[in-house]
């Protein structure tokens, strides 16, 4: 608005001056060389002079600024080449081309050495090539500048972590946190360091700063503060009981479902004889996540109770989450302690088909305690070796035997979760250890032997079918174990005769047995799914025609010991053909 008013005032003054000049009488004469200009109205000639002067001024000003324009153009061209090199270099780093990134970084350093992006490209290309010293020099150069100081500190922090220098990394993170309290990576690093060295006051102050800076919301702030207070309560449990109790109670208010805080707070309430309050604390955490520590704290909530009373209390807690394996394991543990073995077996029975390690170990303890059966106990112990893993405290692939506030891998707060580790999840591949027959036999369910069957209930034996005799093969009845020895074998051998004895008439087949004495129940029964093979026919008995000690006649003649036997030795023909061949010789 002010500029408009000033512009109007200038126009008014110019018009007034022009009117004044026009009212003045006289002539205006301009002599320049051989030229002479005369005007009765000096206003027009004055305007012409002003226009000429302005054109001459513009021309002179343009000539004066030509060197500056040339320098500025060269600088802009160099800057454009540098920016193009930076762009192409960052793209090369994005797709992992280290040689192209290095070449573009060199071009960017020549044309735009002071550009922050050129420094970043140089540092990242050195990182991609594995040049740690070059990367550190580039990040130090960035840290010395005010506009890139925080970026340089971040790069130095990453390089210190890669060099496994936690002291330098924490010092750099602390400096960055002082420069920018809202820096998430710096607060994360310093928070992990404070938790590692047990500086819970410093860790709590960092959490407060993060919440004030808007890095975390209110729910996350309450949870993380409760985790830090629970960690402090666990550390000071045996050192400063008052501080531990106050920290546990505050942690329970901020995070009621945090298992370590609930267990410790229930313990303190139990020691103060606040049994109902302790039970409510454990029940709230149990409904969110059943855990064996919660079951143990619930069973011992009243000091001095007997084992059966603890069993009843655990059954009440397990009934709040029916079908959960943690409740069944807690009942089995309490039942074994109370010698209620039937309840323990009933609790574990739904999980014995595909047992976990704790289920298998409890079954082994149950077999050893109840029956004193060391064999079945060893079989269950062997089965626990390849059984499914139970849930454990896991964070970023790290398995811990206890709860911790931060992950030892990444330093992340509240990273531990009660779950089955990833490496122990069931696979579709076969077992690496095949089950042994001994283990399967030992783990088979017990069976009671049925009473021996009564002889009258057995079906009558089938009659023996007579065997038909072939020609030239005298058939004889089957010889029984208790039958007398035949006369031809029992009598002394007869001398060798030239003619064979007259053939005896074929005996008639024995009549079918009318009745047989009842046989005892067989020890091994034949399977019904496998058909029983037909019995082989009984060969006919060949009568002896010479004495057993008679070597007989050597029919092959003398044997040449130097003659090579080409074919295999001929075996003596058996049966009636052999008898006829020997008879003819």
């Amino acid at each position: 608005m002010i500029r408009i008013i000033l512009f109007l005032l200038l126009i008014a003054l110019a018009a007034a001056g022009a009117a004044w000049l026009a009212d003045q009488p006289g002539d205006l004469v301009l002599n320049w060389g051989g030229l002479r200009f005369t005007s009765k109205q000096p206003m027009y000639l004055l305007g012409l002079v002003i226009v000429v002067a302005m054109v001459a001024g513009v021309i002179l000003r343009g000539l004066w600024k030509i060197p500056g324009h040339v320098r500025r153009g060269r600088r802009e061209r160099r800057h454009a080449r540098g920016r193009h090199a930076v762009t192409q270099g960052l793209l090369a780093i994005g797709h992992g081309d280290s040689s192209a990134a290095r070449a573009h970084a060199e071009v960017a350093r020549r044309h735009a050495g002071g550009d922050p992006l050129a420094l970043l490209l140089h540092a990242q290309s050195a990182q991609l090539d594995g040049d740690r010293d070059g990367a550190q020099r580039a990040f130090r150069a960035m840290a010395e500048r005010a506009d890139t100081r925080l970026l340089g500190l971040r790069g130095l922090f990453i390089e210190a972590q890669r060099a496994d220098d936690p002291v330098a990394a924490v010092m750099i993170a602390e400096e960055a946190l002082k420069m920018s309290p809202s820096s998430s990576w710096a607060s994360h690093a310093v928070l992990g360091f404070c938790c590692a060295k047990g500086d819970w006051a410093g860790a709590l102050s960092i959490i407060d700063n993060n919440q004030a800076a808007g890095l975390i919301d209110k729910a996350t702030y309450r949870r993380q503060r409760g985790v830090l207070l629970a960690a402090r309560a666990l550390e000071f449990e045996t050192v400063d009981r008052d501080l531990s109790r106050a920290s546990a109670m505050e942690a329970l208010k901020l995070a009621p479902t945090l298992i370590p805080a609930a267990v410790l707070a229930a313990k303190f309430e139990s020691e103060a004889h606040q049994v109902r309050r302790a039970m409510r604390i454990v029940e709230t955490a149990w409904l969110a996540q059943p855990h064996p520590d919660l079951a143990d704290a619930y069973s011992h909530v009243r000091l001095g109770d007997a084992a059966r009373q603890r069993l009843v209390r655990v059954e009440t807690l397990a009934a709040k989450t029916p079908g959960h394996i943690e409740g069944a394991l807690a009942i089995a543990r309490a039942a074994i302690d109370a010698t209620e073995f039937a309840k323990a077996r009933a609790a574990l029975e739904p999980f014995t088909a595909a047992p976990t390690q704790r289920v298998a170990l409890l079954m082994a303890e149950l077999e050893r305690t109840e029956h004193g059966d060391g064999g079945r106990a060893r079989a269950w112990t062997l089965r626990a070796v390849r059984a499914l893993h139970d849930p454990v405290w896991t964070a970023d692939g790290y398995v811990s035997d206890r709860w911790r506030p931060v992950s030892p891998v990444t330093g992340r707060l509240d990273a531990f979760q009660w779950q089955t580790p990833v490496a122990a999840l069931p696979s579709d591949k076969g077992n690496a250890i095949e089950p042994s027959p001994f283990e399967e036999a030992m783990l088979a369910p017990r069976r009671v032997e049925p009473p021996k069957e009564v002889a009258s209930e057995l079906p009558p034996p089938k009659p023996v079918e007579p065997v038909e005799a072939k020609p030239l093969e005298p058939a004889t009845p089957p010889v029984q174990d208790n039958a007398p020895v035949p006369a031809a074998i029992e009598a002394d051998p007869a001398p060798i005769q030239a003619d064979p004895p007259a053939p005896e008439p074929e005996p008639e087949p024995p009549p079918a047995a009318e009745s047989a004495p009842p046989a005892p129940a067989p020890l091994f029964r034949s399977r019904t799914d496998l058909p029983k093979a037909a019995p082989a026919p009984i060969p006919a008995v060949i009568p002896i025609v010479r004495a057993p000690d008679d070597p007989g006649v050597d029919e092959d003649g003398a044997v040449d010991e130097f003659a090579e036997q080409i074919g295999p030795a001929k075996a003596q023909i058996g049966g009636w053909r052999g008898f006829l061949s020997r008879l003819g010789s």
Side-chain angles (χ1 to χ4, degrees):
M1 186 67 183
I2 297 177
R3 292 182 180 182
I4 295 175
I5 295 174
L6 290 176
F7 180 73
L8 294 176
L9 288 175
L10 288 176
I11 291 177
L13 290 175
W20 180 79
L21 288 176
D23 293 339
Q24 298 298 323
D27 298 333
L28 179 62
V29 179
L30 177 63
N31 291 324
W32 184 25
L35 297 177
R36 179 182 176 86
F37 295 96
T38 304
S39 177
K40 296 296 183 177
Q41 295 181 358
M43 183 61 187
Y44 299 124
L45 187 58
L46 180 62
L48 179 61
V49 172
I50 292 174
V51 170
V52 171
M54 291 177 61
V55 171
V58 169
I59 294 173
L60 293 176
R61 184 180 179 183
L63 294 175
W64 178 264
K65 291 184 176 181
I66 284 177
H69 286 297
V70 173
R71 289 193 299 267
R72 188 181 302 111
R74 293 179 58 187
R75 185 167 58 251
E76 288 179 355
R77 286 192 297 271
R78 289 173 59 88
H79 188 70
R81 293 194 191 100
R83 283 300 180 95
H84 179 73
V86 168
T87 303
Q88 297 300 321
L90 293 177
L91 292 176
I93 289 175
H95 56 74
D97 191 353
S98 60
S99 60
R102 185 169 58 253
H104 289 300
E106 188 64 24
V107 174
R109 186 183 62 82
R110 290 198 309 267
H111 294 288
D115 194 345
L117 293 179
L119 295 176
L120 178 62
L121 175 61
H122 181 67
Q124 290 191 348
S125 63
Q127 286 180 332
L128 189 61
D129 286 337
D131 185 8
R132 304 299 181 202
D133 296 335
Q136 288 183 1
R137 288 193 299 270
F139 284 125
R140 287 195 188 98
M142 297 172 66
E144 291 175 357
R145 298 179 49 165
D147 54 348
T148 59
R149 180 173 178 78
L150 192 60
L151 182 58
L153 291 176
R154 174 68 184 277
L156 292 175
F157 171 77
I158 294 175
E159 290 299 323
Q161 281 187 326
R162 291 180 177 178
D164 198 11
D165 190 358
V167 178
V170 170
M171 292 177 62
I172 294 170
E174 289 178 348
E175 185 176 356
L177 190 62
K178 292 177 182 178
M179 179 181 176
S180 176
S182 61
S183 179
S184 59
W185 66 269
S187 62
H188 177 77
V190 178
L191 178 62
F193 178 73
C194 291
C195 293
K197 70 178 182 180
D199 185 9
W200 306 115
L204 290 172
S205 65
I206 292 175
I207 291 295
D208 295 339
N209 293 335
N210 291 343
Q211 199 270 340
L215 297 179
I216 55 177
D217 54 3
K218 187 174 181 181
T220 306
Y221 167 73
R222 291 175 61 87
R223 176 73 181 187
Q224 291 184 355
R225 185 174 178 83
V227 168
L228 293 176
L229 290 172
R232 184 172 68 177
L234 290 174
E235 182 177 352
F236 289 95
E237 182 181 2
T238 58
V239 179
D240 191 346
R241 301 279 292 183
D242 295 336
L243 179 61
S244 178
R245 178 184 174 85
S247 300
M249 293 304 172
E250 185 179 356
L252 186 66
K253 292 179 181 178
L254 296 173
T257 60
L258 187 60
I259 295 174
V263 171
L264 193 57
K267 181 179 179 181
F268 284 125
E269 293 292 346
S270 175
E271 292 177 354
H273 303 289
Q274 300 293 333
V275 178
R276 293 185 177 276
R277 188 180 301 175
M279 293 174 66
R280 286 196 300 269
I281 292 173
V282 175
E283 289 171 358
T284 303
W286 178 270
L287 291 175
Q289 177 65 65
H291 192 273
D293 291 345
L294 294 173
D296 184 71
Y298 198 81
S299 63
H300 295 86
V301 70
R302 182 180 287 108
L303 304 179
D305 281 354
R308 295 182 182 274
Q309 294 175 336
R310 294 197 299 269
L311 174 59
V312 173
R313 193 176 298 119
V314 168
E315 289 177 344
T316 303
L317 180 65
K320 297 182 180 299
T321 55
H324 201 280
I325 187 173
E326 292 295 342
L329 290 173
I331 291 176
R333 177 72 271 169
I336 292 175
D337 294 340
T339 65
E340 294 286 346
F341 302 115
K343 289 186 178 181
R345 288 186 182 275
L348 296 177
E349 184 178 0
F351 307 99
T352 53
T356 62
Q357 292 180 349
R358 290 165 59 196
V359 171
L361 292 177
L362 282 176
M363 287 298 299
E365 183 178 355
L366 188 60
E367 294 292 345
R368 187 182 298 107
T369 307
E370 182 181 6
H371 300 293
D373 193 344
R376 294 179 66 87
R378 285 192 299 272
W380 277 108
T381 306
L382 290 176
R383 193 172 181 180
V385 174
R386 61 175 177 274
L388 299 175
H389 285 253
D390 293 279
V392 289
W393 288 114
T394 308
D396 300 323
Y398 179 83
V399 176
S400 176
D401 57 344
R402 58 184 178 86
W403 176 84
R404 297 184 182 185
V406 294
S407 169
V409 180
T410 60
R412 183 164 54 95
L413 185 63
D414 192 23
F416 277 91
Q417 301 293 330
W418 181 255
Q419 61 186 3
T420 304
V422 177
L425 293 178
S427 174
D428 56 352
K429 298 182 179 180
N431 295 330
I433 304 177
E434 297 295 337
S436 61
F438 167 76
E439 180 184 349
E440 293 181 353
M442 293 303 298
L443 295 180
R446 299 174 180 271
R447 60 181 182 182
V448 181
E449 292 293 338
K452 294 184 178 181
E453 300 178 358
V454 184
S456 60
E457 297 179 359
L458 290 175
K462 297 181 180 180
V464 181
E465 297 179 358
V467 181
E468 297 180 358
K470 297 181 181 180
L472 301 179
E473 289 186 3
T476 58
V479 181
Q480 299 180 0
D481 294 340
N482 55 356
V485 182
I489 302 176
E490 185 177 336
D492 294 335
I496 301 174
Q497 299 178 2
D499 298 330
E504 299 179 357
E506 295 181 2
E508 298 180 357
E514 297 180 357
S515 62
L523 182 60
F524 299 97
R525 303 178 186 274
S526 60
R527 295 179 56 177
T528 58
D529 56 345
L530 297 178
K532 188 174 181 181
I538 302 175
V541 179
I542 301 174
I544 300 176
V545 297
R546 53 186 168 187
D549 56 350
D550 184 10
V553 182
D554 190 3
E555 301 175 354
D556 297 335
V559 180
D560 187 4
E561 61 180 351
F562 297 99
E564 183 179 1
Q565 184 177 359
I566 299 176
K570 296 182 178 180
Q572 184 178 2
I573 303 176
W576 60 273
R577 291 189 178 88
F579 172 75
L580 294 178
S581 63
R582 288 192 296 273
L583 181 61
S585 62

